[in-house]
Amino acid sequence: KSESLPHSAPKSCPTPEVDTASEVEELDIDVSPVPEPDIRTPAKLQVFIARYSYNPFDGPNENPEAELPLTAGEYIYVYGDMDEDGFYEGELMDGRRGLVPS
């Protein structure tokens, strides 16, 4: 009888573990810019909404794979400052990261 108890306990554990993992993944997005205390100025995080749809493969870009395709109305996390080419490092709500135009 004592052998049947450990078998029934692990059967109920997988569901909470899956829920906990998905919650941790969501938190990673919000927390990721925080652990950079070595830099003099703290990482700057902004949230933008794309005004227009943007497909990096439609233009004369040298490296369109490094850029994120955008859909009008989509939220974008933007990290840091704009680079010399007018792009920011960004992240979409689904976790994809890349360059986004200013």
Side-chain angles (χ1 to χ4, degrees):
K1 291 182 181 177
S2 63
E3 290 180 5
S4 64
L5 292 176
H7 292 292
S8 61
K11 290 179 184 176
S12 63
C13 291
T15 303
E17 289 176 13
V18 172
D19 291 342
T20 303
S22 66
E23 290 173 11
V24 170
E25 288 175 5
E26 291 174 14
L27 292 174
D28 285 345
I29 293 172
D30 296 334
V31 177
S32 61
V34 175
E36 296 182 17
D38 297 340
I39 301 173
R40 276 186 129 173
T41 58
K44 187 162 73 171
L45 172 65
Q46 301 176 64
V47 179
F48 289 92
I49 298 175
R51 286 188 178 178
Y52 309 101
S53 294
Y54 173 72
N55 184 347
F57 292 94
D58 287 345
N61 303 332
E62 292 180 20
N63 193 7
E65 299 84 16
E67 298 178 30
L68 290 173
L70 305 175
T71 303
E74 185 171 37
Y75 286 93
I76 309 156
Y77 293 111
V78 172
Y79 303 96
D81 295 316
M82 182 173 53
D83 68 12
E84 63 224 20
D85 295 326
F87 285 84
Y88 291 92
E89 179 68 33
E91 182 174 348
L92 300 178
M93 298 298 287
D94 64 8
R96 289 182 290 163
R97 293 188 83 156
L99 298 174
V100 293
S102 57

